[in-house]
Amino acid sequence: MSDFCSLPGSIVFDDSGRHVVGGDTGQLPWLTLQKGFCAHHFAKLTSVREIRFGPKGELFASSPGRTCVGGAGIGLGAVVMIPDDDGDGLGDAPIQILSNLEAAHGFAFAPGVIYYQATVTQIRKAPYDGGRAPIANAASAGEAVADITVYQSDVHWTKTIDIADDGTVYVTNGGDNGSMCGATQPFQGGILKIDGSPGGHQVASGFRNPIRVRCQHGHNNCFALELARDGSGSIGGREKLVLVREGDDWGHPCCATKDLPFSDIGAGADCSKVASEDNAFVIGSTPFGLDFVPSSWPAPYAGGVVIALHGVFAQWQGAKVVAISADPVTGMPIKTSTTGSTPSGPISDLATGWDDGTRAHGRPTVATFGPDGRLYIGDDTANEIFWIAPVVSH
């Protein structure tokens, strides 16, 4: 791995403590990383919600043009490219590739095309080779591949998109809290796949708000982050990192998890067929973004997963970036939980400092690794994008 931590402006955490290469620039003064890592401001972008890397290696980010639940402001209504042509670790001026999209949010690249959220319900794909020329008439470019109207939440309208090793395109659909539990629950929050049908094929159901889907390459696995029922921690509720599998029901709104109905609305519900999670978070952690750690990172991070926790709404308590170790053979995250009095399993803090009580630093939204091994963190409240890299020993 290149020694990105030697770039001027890099904030290094090593045996000598915290120091800034080339002198302190005043960037990210509140941030703390684990020893052996550095951080570097990359760019400012209003309400950044997704970060992906294009076919030619540049960073792309979405900035919705409408309000997102959780405190983010109204952004550009665009997907932008932010190159770093001189390699100084700082992004150059953003280039709008997809514009005039009020509902710009999730997007993903496949060979020769880009998939993207065009409206609150519609997913489109358009020809794209990674160039810097904007895609004309983005709202109608290419073709509509799904119009997801099976259920549309007024607040959880955002959709994320990713593509598995076998080419399957997955899309999230947000649901709502729910106040009634019946024998048959209609599909609301869940994971769909683009299969040529108008609304997509329903893969997994029983989510309140699957905020993110991300695929783990090399194992043909995809995972989702579930934001469970608000305020349900005292009756068994938990946020979740889950494997996307055909036919799984995750229980919402009747069940907190397998064999555990919500006592207020789900009493008597049969939760025996609900899928069970291996990775759980206390309600309010708000796991918002995830990606899989490359082998170039040091142990115990290599091969694991990093998760951006958005924290408790209006307080930002618990906002941070955590890492979970994975089985080196299967790639599956090892069982962890933060729902008890102390965390269990191999989960650790990687980046902290957002929740210092001031609410001045925003809250992390998305975590995405670039092709060169740097981890990029986006913040939809402070409008910040920065990267993290391991310190290279000399």
Side-chain angles (χ1 to χ4, degrees), residues 120-175:
V120 293
T121 63
Q122 189 180 87
I123 307 299
R124 302 189 72 84
K125 74 173 181 178
Y128 185 63
D129 64 359
R132 300 190 180 188
I135 295 175
N137 304 312
S140 58
E143 64 176 303
V145 294
D147 195 21
I148 301 171
T149 58
V150 59
Y151 182 83
Q152 182 53 51
S153 169
D154 291 335
V155 292
H156 301 142
W157 59 267
T158 59
K159 293 173 173 57
T160 57
I161 307 167
D162 209 359
I163 303 172
D165 289 345
D166 63 8
T168 302
V169 180
Y170 291 100
V171 181
T172 62
N173 191 63

CSV table of all heavy atoms in Angstrom, one decimal, residues 120-175:
chain,number,residue,atom,x,y,z
A,120,VAL,N,-38.2,8.9,-6.3
A,120,VAL,CA,-38.4,8.1,-5.0
A,120,VAL,C,-38.7,6.7,-5.2
A,120,VAL,O,-38.6,5.8,-4.3
A,120,VAL,CB,-39.4,8.8,-4.1
A,120,VAL,CG1,-39.0,10.2,-3.6
A,120,VAL,CG2,-40.8,8.9,-4.8
A,121,THR,N,-39.2,6.3,-6.4
A,121,THR,CA,-39.6,4.9,-6.7
A,121,THR,C,-38.8,4.3,-7.8
A,121,THR,O,-38.7,3.0,-7.9
A,121,THR,CB,-41.1,4.8,-7.0
A,121,THR,OG1,-41.4,5.5,-8.2
A,121,THR,CG2,-42.0,5.3,-5.9
A,122,GLN,N,-38.2,5.1,-8.7
A,122,GLN,CA,-37.7,4.5,-9.9
A,122,GLN,C,-36.1,4.3,-9.9
A,122,GLN,O,-35.4,5.2,-9.5
A,122,GLN,CB,-38.0,5.4,-11.1
A,122,GLN,CG,-37.7,4.8,-12.4
A,122,GLN,CD,-38.1,5.8,-13.6
A,122,GLN,OE1,-37.3,6.6,-13.9
A,122,GLN,NE2,-39.3,5.6,-14.1
A,123,ILE,N,-35.7,3.2,-10.4
A,123,ILE,CA,-34.3,2.8,-10.6
A,123,ILE,C,-34.1,2.8,-12.1
A,123,ILE,O,-34.8,2.1,-12.8
A,123,ILE,CB,-33.9,1.5,-10.0
A,123,ILE,CG1,-34.3,1.4,-8.5
A,123,ILE,CG2,-32.4,1.2,-10.2
A,123,ILE,CD1,-33.6,2.5,-7.6
A,124,ARG,N,-33.0,3.5,-12.6
A,124,ARG,CA,-32.7,3.5,-14.0
A,124,ARG,C,-31.3,3.0,-14.2
A,124,ARG,O,-30.5,3.0,-13.2
A,124,ARG,CB,-32.8,4.9,-14.6
A,124,ARG,CG,-34.2,5.6,-14.4
A,124,ARG,CD,-34.3,6.9,-15.2
A,124,ARG,NE,-34.3,6.6,-16.6
A,124,ARG,CZ,-35.4,6.4,-17.3
A,124,ARG,NH1,-36.6,6.3,-16.7
A,124,ARG,NH2,-35.4,6.2,-18.6
A,125,LYS,N,-31.0,2.7,-15.4
A,125,LYS,CA,-29.6,2.4,-15.8
A,125,LYS,C,-29.3,3.1,-17.1
A,125,LYS,O,-30.2,3.2,-18.0
A,125,LYS,CB,-29.3,0.9,-15.9
A,125,LYS,CG,-29.8,0.2,-17.1
A,125,LYS,CD,-29.2,-1.2,-17.1
A,125,LYS,CE,-29.8,-2.0,-18.3
A,125,LYS,NZ,-29.2,-3.4,-18.4
A,126,ALA,N,-28.1,3.7,-17.2
A,126,ALA,CA,-27.7,4.4,-18.4
A,126,ALA,C,-26.3,4.1,-18.8
A,126,ALA,O,-25.5,3.7,-17.9
A,126,ALA,CB,-27.8,5.9,-18.1
A,127,PRO,N,-26.0,4.1,-20.1
A,127,PRO,CA,-24.6,3.9,-20.5
A,127,PRO,C,-23.7,4.9,-19.9
A,127,PRO,O,-23.9,6.1,-19.8
A,127,PRO,CB,-24.7,4.1,-22.0
A,127,PRO,CG,-26.1,3.9,-22.4
A,127,PRO,CD,-26.9,4.4,-21.2
A,128,TYR,N,-22.6,4.3,-19.4
A,128,TYR,CA,-21.6,5.2,-18.7
A,128,TYR,C,-20.2,4.5,-18.7
A,128,TYR,O,-20.2,3.3,-18.2
A,128,TYR,CB,-22.0,5.6,-17.3
A,128,TYR,CG,-21.1,6.6,-16.7
A,128,TYR,CD1,-20.9,7.9,-17.3
A,128,TYR,CD2,-20.3,6.3,-15.6
A,128,TYR,CE1,-20.0,8.8,-16.7
A,128,TYR,CE2,-19.5,7.2,-15.0
A,128,TYR,CZ,-19.3,8.4,-15.6
A,128,TYR,OH,-18.4,9.3,-15.0
A,129,ASP,N,-19.2,5.2,-19.1
A,129,ASP,CA,-17.8,4.5,-19.2
A,129,ASP,C,-16.9,5.1,-18.1
A,129,ASP,O,-15.7,4.8,-18.2
A,129,ASP,CB,-17.3,4.6,-20.6
A,129,ASP,CG,-17.0,6.1,-21.0
A,129,ASP,OD1,-17.3,7.0,-20.2
A,129,ASP,OD2,-16.5,6.3,-22.1
A,130,GLY,N,-17.4,6.0,-17.3
A,130,GLY,CA,-16.5,6.6,-16.3
A,130,GLY,C,-15.9,8.0,-16.7
A,130,GLY,O,-15.1,8.5,-16.0
A,131,GLY,N,-16.4,8.5,-17.8
A,131,GLY,CA,-15.8,9.8,-18.3
A,131,GLY,C,-16.4,10.9,-17.5
A,131,GLY,O,-17.3,10.8,-16.7
A,132,ARG,N,-16.0,12.1,-17.9
A,132,ARG,CA,-16.3,13.3,-17.1
A,132,ARG,C,-17.4,14.1,-17.8
A,132,ARG,O,-17.9,15.2,-17.2
A,132,ARG,CB,-15.1,14.2,-16.9
A,132,ARG,CG,-14.0,13.4,-16.1
A,132,ARG,CD,-12.9,14.3,-15.6
A,132,ARG,NE,-11.9,13.4,-14.9
A,132,ARG,CZ,-10.9,13.9,-14.2
A,132,ARG,NH1,-10.7,15.2,-14.2
A,132,ARG,NH2,-10.1,13.1,-13.6
A,133,ALA,N,-17.9,13.7,-18.9
A,133,ALA,CA,-19.0,14.4,-19.5
A,133,ALA,C,-20.3,14.0,-18.8
A,133,ALA,O,-20.6,12.8,-18.6
A,133,ALA,CB,-19.1,14.0,-21.0
A,134,PRO,N,-21.2,15.0,-18.5
A,134,PRO,CA,-22.4,14.7,-17.8
A,134,PRO,C,-23.3,13.8,-18.6
A,134,PRO,O,-23.3,13.9,-19.9
A,134,PRO,CB,-23.0,16.0,-17.5
A,134,PRO,CG,-21.9,17.0,-17.6
A,134,PRO,CD,-20.9,16.4,-18.6
A,135,ILE,N,-24.1,13.0,-18.0
A,135,ILE,CA,-25.1,12.2,-18.6
A,135,ILE,C,-26.3,13.1,-18.9
A,135,ILE,O,-26.9,13.6,-17.9
A,135,ILE,CB,-25.5,11.0,-17.8
A,135,ILE,CG1,-24.3,10.0,-17.7
A,135,ILE,CG2,-26.7,10.2,-18.4
A,135,ILE,CD1,-24.6,8.8,-16.8
A,136,ALA,N,-26.7,13.3,-20.1
A,136,ALA,CA,-27.8,14.3,-20.4
A,136,ALA,C,-29.1,13.7,-20.0
A,136,ALA,O,-29.4,12.5,-20.1
A,136,ALA,CB,-27.8,14.6,-21.9
A,137,ASN,N,-30.0,14.6,-19.5
A,137,ASN,CA,-31.3,14.3,-19.1
A,137,ASN,C,-31.4,13.1,-18.2
A,137,ASN,O,-32.0,12.1,-18.6
A,137,ASN,CB,-32.2,14.1,-20.4
A,137,ASN,CG,-32.1,15.3,-21.3
A,137,ASN,OD1,-32.3,16.4,-20.9
A,137,ASN,ND2,-31.9,15.0,-22.6
A,138,ALA,N,-30.7,13.1,-17.1
A,138,ALA,CA,-30.6,12.0,-16.2
A,138,ALA,C,-31.9,11.4,-15.8
A,138,ALA,O,-32.0,10.2,-15.6
A,138,ALA,CB,-29.7,12.4,-15.0
A,139,ALA,N,-32.9,12.2,-15.6
A,139,ALA,CA,-34.2,11.7,-15.2
A,139,ALA,C,-34.9,10.8,-16.2
A,139,ALA,O,-35.7,10.0,-15.8
A,139,ALA,CB,-35.1,12.9,-14.9
A,140,SER,N,-34.4,10.8,-17.4
A,140,SER,CA,-35.0,10.0,-18.5
A,140,SER,C,-34.0,9.2,-19.3
A,140,SER,O,-34.3,8.6,-20.3
A,140,SER,CB,-35.9,10.8,-19.4
A,140,SER,OG,-35.1,11.9,-20.0
A,141,ALA,N,-32.7,9.3,-18.9
A,141,ALA,CA,-31.6,8.7,-19.7
A,141,ALA,C,-31.7,7.2,-19.6
A,141,ALA,O,-32.3,6.6,-18.6
A,141,ALA,CB,-30.3,9.1,-19.2
A,142,GLY,N,-31.2,6.5,-20.6
A,142,GLY,CA,-31.1,5.0,-20.5
A,142,GLY,C,-32.5,4.4,-20.4
A,142,GLY,O,-33.4,4.7,-21.2
A,143,GLU,N,-32.7,3.5,-19.4
A,143,GLU,CA,-34.0,2.8,-19.3
A,143,GLU,C,-34.3,2.7,-17.8
A,143,GLU,O,-33.4,2.6,-17.0
A,143,GLU,CB,-33.9,1.5,-20.0
A,143,GLU,CG,-32.9,0.5,-19.3
A,143,GLU,CD,-33.0,-0.9,-20.0
A,143,GLU,OE1,-34.1,-1.5,-20.0
A,143,GLU,OE2,-31.9,-1.3,-20.5
A,144,ALA,N,-35.6,2.7,-17.5
A,144,ALA,CA,-36.1,2.4,-16.2
A,144,ALA,C,-36.1,0.9,-16.0
A,144,ALA,O,-36.6,0.1,-16.8
A,144,ALA,CB,-37.5,2.9,-16.0
A,145,VAL,N,-35.4,0.4,-15.0
A,145,VAL,CA,-35.3,-1.1,-14.7
A,145,VAL,C,-36.2,-1.5,-13.6
A,145,VAL,O,-36.4,-2.7,-13.5
A,145,VAL,CB,-33.8,-1.5,-14.5
A,145,VAL,CG1,-33.0,-1.3,-15.7
A,145,VAL,CG2,-33.3,-0.7,-13.3
A,146,ALA,N,-36.7,-0.6,-12.8
A,146,ALA,CA,-37.7,-1.0,-11.8
A,146,ALA,C,-38.4,0.3,-11.3
A,146,ALA,O,-37.8,1.4,-11.2
A,146,ALA,CB,-37.0,-1.6,-10.6
A,147,ASP,N,-39.7,0.2,-11.0
A,147,ASP,CA,-40.5,1.2,-10.4
A,147,ASP,C,-41.1,0.6,-9.2
A,147,ASP,O,-42.1,-0.1,-9.2
A,147,ASP,CB,-41.6,1.8,-11.3
A,147,ASP,CG,-42.1,3.1,-10.9
A,147,ASP,OD1,-41.5,3.8,-10.1
A,147,ASP,OD2,-43.3,3.4,-11.3
A,148,ILE,N,-40.4,0.9,-8.0
A,148,ILE,CA,-40.7,0.1,-6.8
A,148,ILE,C,-41.9,0.9,-6.1
A,148,ILE,O,-41.6,1.7,-5.2
A,148,ILE,CB,-39.5,0.0,-5.9
A,148,ILE,CG1,-38.4,-0.8,-6.7
A,148,ILE,CG2,-39.8,-0.8,-4.6
A,148,ILE,CD1,-37.0,-0.8,-6.1
A,149,THR,N,-43.1,0.5,-6.3
A,149,THR,CA,-44.3,1.1,-5.8
A,149,THR,C,-45.0,0.1,-4.8
A,149,THR,O,-46.1,0.5,-4.3
A,149,THR,CB,-45.2,1.6,-6.9
A,149,THR,OG1,-45.6,0.4,-7.7
A,149,THR,CG2,-44.6,2.6,-7.7
A,150,VAL,N,-44.4,-1.0,-4.5
A,150,VAL,CA,-45.1,-2.0,-3.7
A,150,VAL,C,-45.4,-1.4,-2.3
A,150,VAL,O,-46.4,-1.6,-1.7
A,150,VAL,CB,-44.3,-3.3,-3.5
A,150,VAL,CG1,-42.9,-3.0,-3.0
A,150,VAL,CG2,-45.0,-4.3,-2.7
A,151,TYR,N,-44.4,-0.5,-1.8
A,151,TYR,CA,-44.6,0.3,-0.6
A,151,TYR,C,-43.7,1.4,-0.7
A,151,TYR,O,-42.5,1.2,-1.0
A,151,TYR,CB,-44.4,-0.5,0.7
A,151,TYR,CG,-44.7,0.3,1.9
A,151,TYR,CD1,-46.0,0.5,2.4
A,151,TYR,CD2,-43.6,1.0,2.6
A,151,TYR,CE1,-46.2,1.3,3.5
A,151,TYR,CE2,-43.9,1.8,3.7
A,151,TYR,CZ,-45.2,1.9,4.1
A,151,TYR,OH,-45.4,2.7,5.2
A,152,GLN,N,-44.2,2.6,-0.5
A,152,GLN,CA,-43.3,3.8,-0.5
A,152,GLN,C,-43.4,4.6,0.8
A,152,GLN,O,-44.5,5.2,1.0
A,152,GLN,CB,-43.6,4.7,-1.7
A,152,GLN,CG,-42.7,5.9,-1.8
A,152,GLN,CD,-41.2,5.5,-1.8
A,152,GLN,OE1,-40.8,4.6,-2.6
A,152,GLN,NE2,-40.4,6.1,-1.0
A,153,SER,N,-42.4,4.6,1.6
A,153,SER,CA,-42.4,5.4,2.9
A,153,SER,C,-42.2,6.9,2.5
A,153,SER,O,-41.4,7.2,1.7
A,153,SER,CB,-41.3,4.9,3.8
A,153,SER,OG,-41.1,5.8,4.9
A,154,ASP,N,-43.0,7.7,3.2
A,154,ASP,CA,-42.8,9.1,3.1
A,154,ASP,C,-41.5,9.6,3.6
A,154,ASP,O,-40.9,10.6,3.1
A,154,ASP,CB,-43.9,9.9,3.8
A,154,ASP,CG,-45.3,9.7,3.1
A,154,ASP,OD1,-45.3,9.4,1.9
A,154,ASP,OD2,-46.3,9.8,3.8
A,155,VAL,N,-40.9,8.9,4.6
A,155,VAL,CA,-39.7,9.4,5.2
A,155,VAL,C,-38.5,8.5,4.8
A,155,VAL,O,-37.4,9.1,4.6
A,155,VAL,CB,-39.8,9.5,6.8
A,155,VAL,CG1,-40.8,10.6,7.1
A,155,VAL,CG2,-40.2,8.1,7.3
A,156,HIS,N,-38.7,7.2,4.7
A,156,HIS,CA,-37.6,6.3,4.3
A,156,HIS,C,-37.6,6.1,2.8
A,156,HIS,O,-37.7,4.9,2.4
A,156,HIS,CB,-37.7,5.0,5.2
A,156,HIS,CG,-37.6,5.3,6.6
A,156,HIS,ND1,-38.4,4.5,7.5
A,156,HIS,CD2,-36.9,6.2,7.4
A,156,HIS,CE1,-38.1,5.0,8.8
A,156,HIS,NE2,-37.2,6.0,8.7
A,157,TRP,N,-37.5,7.1,2.1
A,157,TRP,CA,-37.6,7.0,0.6
A,157,TRP,C,-36.3,6.6,-0.1
A,157,TRP,O,-36.3,6.2,-1.2
A,157,TRP,CB,-38.1,8.3,0.0
A,157,TRP,CG,-37.2,9.5,0.3
A,157,TRP,CD1,-37.3,10.4,1.4
A,157,TRP,CD2,-36.1,9.9,-0.4
A,157,TRP,NE1,-36.3,11.3,1.3
A,157,TRP,CE2,-35.6,11.1,0.2
A,157,TRP,CE3,-35.5,9.5,-1.6
A,157,TRP,CZ2,-34.4,11.7,-0.2
A,157,TRP,CZ3,-34.4,10.2,-2.1
A,157,TRP,CH2,-33.9,11.3,-1.4
A,158,THR,N,-35.2,6.8,0.6
A,158,THR,CA,-33.9,6.6,0.0
A,158,THR,C,-33.7,5.1,-0.3
A,158,THR,O,-34.1,4.2,0.4
A,158,THR,CB,-32.8,7.0,0.9
A,158,THR,OG1,-32.8,6.3,2.1
A,158,THR,CG2,-32.9,8.5,1.2
A,159,LYS,N,-33.1,4.8,-1.5
A,159,LYS,CA,-32.8,3.5,-1.9
A,159,LYS,C,-31.3,3.4,-2.2
A,159,LYS,O,-30.7,4.3,-2.7
A,159,LYS,CB,-33.6,3.1,-3.1
A,159,LYS,CG,-35.1,3.0,-2.8
A,159,LYS,CD,-35.9,2.8,-4.1
A,159,LYS,CE,-37.4,2.5,-3.7
A,159,LYS,NZ,-38.0,3.6,-2.9
A,160,THR,N,-30.7,2.3,-1.7
A,160,THR,CA,-29.3,2.0,-2.1
A,160,THR,C,-29.2,0.8,-3.0
A,160,THR,O,-30.1,-0.1,-3.0
A,160,THR,CB,-28.4,1.8,-0.8
A,160,THR,OG1,-29.0,0.7,0.0
A,160,THR,CG2,-28.4,3.1,0.0
A,161,ILE,N,-28.1,0.7,-3.7
A,161,ILE,CA,-28.0,-0.3,-4.8
A,161,ILE,C,-26.6,-0.9,-4.7
A,161,ILE,O,-25.6,-0.2,-4.5
A,161,ILE,CB,-28.2,0.4,-6.2
A,161,ILE,CG1,-29.5,1.2,-6.2
A,161,ILE,CG2,-28.1,-0.6,-7.3
A,161,ILE,CD1,-29.6,2.1,-7.4
A,162,ASP,N,-26.5,-2.2,-4.9
A,162,ASP,CA,-25.2,-2.8,-5.1
A,162,ASP,C,-25.4,-4.1,-6.0
A,162,ASP,O,-26.5,-4.6,-6.2
A,162,ASP,CB,-24.5,-3.2,-3.8
A,162,ASP,CG,-23.0,-3.1,-4.0
A,162,ASP,OD1,-22.5,-2.9,-5.1
A,162,ASP,OD2,-22.3,-3.3,-3.0
A,163,ILE,N,-24.2,-4.6,-6.5
A,163,ILE,CA,-24.2,-5.6,-7.5
A,163,ILE,C,-23.3,-6.8,-6.9
A,163,ILE,O,-22.2,-6.6,-6.6
A,163,ILE,CB,-23.7,-5.1,-8.8
A,163,ILE,CG1,-24.6,-3.9,-9.3
A,163,ILE,CG2,-23.7,-6.2,-9.9
A,163,ILE,CD1,-24.1,-3.2,-10.5
A,164,ALA,N,-23.9,-8.0,-6.9
A,164,ALA,CA,-23.2,-9.1,-6.4
A,164,ALA,C,-22.2,-9.7,-7.4
A,164,ALA,O,-22.3,-9.3,-8.6
A,164,ALA,CB,-24.2,-10.2,-6.0
A,165,ASP,N,-21.3,-10.6,-7.0
A,165,ASP,CA,-20.4,-11.2,-7.9
A,165,ASP,C,-21.1,-11.8,-9.1
A,165,ASP,O,-20.5,-11.9,-10.2
A,165,ASP,CB,-19.5,-12.2,-7.2
A,165,ASP,CG,-18.5,-11.6,-6.2
A,165,ASP,OD1,-18.3,-10.4,-6.3
A,165,ASP,OD2,-18.0,-12.3,-5.4
A,166,ASP,N,-22.2,-12.4,-8.9
A,166,ASP,CA,-22.9,-13.1,-10.0
A,166,ASP,C,-23.7,-12.2,-10.9
A,166,ASP,O,-24.5,-12.6,-11.8
A,166,ASP,CB,-23.8,-14.2,-9.5
A,166,ASP,CG,-25.0,-13.7,-8.6
A,166,ASP,OD1,-25.2,-12.4,-8.5
A,166,ASP,OD2,-25.7,-14.5,-7.9
A,167,GLY,N,-23.6,-10.8,-10.7
A,167,GLY,CA,-24.3,-9.8,-11.5
A,167,GLY,C,-25.7,-9.4,-11.0
A,167,GLY,O,-26.3,-8.5,-11.6
A,168,THR,N,-26.2,-10.0,-9.9
A,168,THR,CA,-27.5,-9.7,-9.4
A,168,THR,C,-27.4,-8.2,-8.8
A,168,THR,O,-26.5,-7.9,-8.1
A,168,THR,CB,-27.9,-10.6,-8.2
A,168,THR,OG1,-27.9,-12.0,-8.7
A,168,THR,CG2,-29.3,-10.2,-7.7
A,169,VAL,N,-28.4,-7.4,-9.2
A,169,VAL,CA,-28.5,-6.0,-8.7
A,169,VAL,C,-29.5,-6.0,-7.6
A,169,VAL,O,-30.7,-6.3,-7.8
A,169,VAL,CB,-28.9,-5.1,-9.9
A,169,VAL,CG1,-29.0,-3.7,-9.4
A,169,VAL,CG2,-27.9,-5.2,-11.0
A,170,TYR,N,-29.1,-5.6,-6.4
A,170,TYR,CA,-30.0,-5.5,-5.2
A,170,TYR,C,-30.3,-4.1,-4.9
A,170,TYR,O,-29.5,-3.2,-5.1
A,170,TYR,CB,-29.3,-6.2,-4.0
A,170,TYR,CG,-29.2,-7.7,-4.1
A,170,TYR,CD1,-28.0,-8.2,-4.5
A,170,TYR,CD2,-30.3,-8.5,-3.8
A,170,TYR,CE1,-27.8,-9.6,-4.5
A,170,TYR,CE2,-30.1,-9.9,-3.9
A,170,TYR,CZ,-28.9,-10.4,-4.3
A,170,TYR,OH,-28.8,-11.8,-4.3
A,171,VAL,N,-31.5,-3.9,-4.5
A,171,VAL,CA,-32.0,-2.5,-4.1
A,171,VAL,C,-32.7,-2.6,-2.8
A,171,VAL,O,-33.5,-3.6,-2.5
A,171,VAL,CB,-33.0,-2.0,-5.2
A,171,VAL,CG1,-33.5,-0.6,-4.8
A,171,VAL,CG2,-32.3,-2.0,-6.6
A,172,THR,N,-32.6,-1.6,-1.9
A,172,THR,CA,-33.3,-1.5,-0.7
A,172,THR,C,-34.6,-0.8,-0.8
A,172,THR,O,-34.7,0.2,-1.7
A,172,THR,CB,-32.5,-0.9,0.4
A,172,THR,OG1,-32.2,0.5,0.0
A,172,THR,CG2,-31.2,-1.6,0.6
A,173,ASN,N,-35.6,-1.1,0.0
A,173,ASN,CA,-36.9,-0.4,0.0
A,173,ASN,C,-37.2,-0.1,1.5
A,173,ASN,O,-37.3,-1.1,2.3
A,173,ASN,CB,-38.0,-1.1,-0.7
A,173,ASN,CG,-39.2,-0.3,-0.9
A,173,ASN,OD1,-39.2,0.7,-1.6
A,173,ASN,ND2,-40.3,-0.6,-0.2
A,174,GLY,N,-37.4,1.1,1.8
A,174,GLY,CA,-37.7,1.5,3.2
A,174,GLY,C,-39.1,1.3,3.6
A,174,GLY,O,-40.0,1.5,2.8
A,175,GLY,N,-39.3,0.9,4.9
A,175,GLY,CA,-40.6,0.8,5.5
A,175,GLY,C,-40.8,1.8,6.6
A,175,GLY,O,-40.1,2.8,6.6
